[in-house]
Amino acid sequence: PAVFSLAGIKIKKEVANAFVKRKKRASPYEWYLEYYKSPMEQMHERCENYPPCDYLSDQVGFALAYNRFFG
């Protein structure tokens, strides 16, 4: 089988930009939602990153588990 190495491939920034097109944001609201998480999403991540909370949330639900450890 052929083995390809990408380490030696270099292309100019202008050429690369021709291949990759960024999606335009329709409004500042969409931009805001893309970069900032809701408080509920932050709570879920906090619980998921703490194994006892994550385990308990599978047993009794997120709200009870979160309140048990962080409430």
Side-chain angles (χ1 to χ4, degrees):
V3 177
F4 298 99
S5 173
L6 299 176
I9 297 175
K10 294 189 185 213
I11 57 175
K12 291 182 181 176
K13 185 177 176 182
E14 296 79 18
V15 176
N17 286 340
F19 291 105
V20 179
K21 296 288 182 190
R22 286 183 151 174
K23 185 183 124 197
K24 303 273 187 215
R25 290 178 186 80
S27 70
Y29 181 71
E30 287 183 22
W31 178 87
Y32 178 84
L33 288 179
E34 188 174 326
Y35 286 96
Y36 298 99
K37 296 177 182 168
S38 70
M40 183 59 77
E41 187 173 355
Q42 291 173 358
M43 290 167 62
H44 273 279
E45 287 185 356
R46 186 175 183 195
C47 187
E48 287 172 356
N49 290 333
Y50 185 57
C53 184
D54 190 33
Y55 177 77
L56 188 61
S57 70
D58 290 339
Q59 309 303 315
V60 299
F62 167 74
L64 291 174
Y66 187 87
N67 286 335
R68 166 74 171 81
F69 291 101
F70 305 108

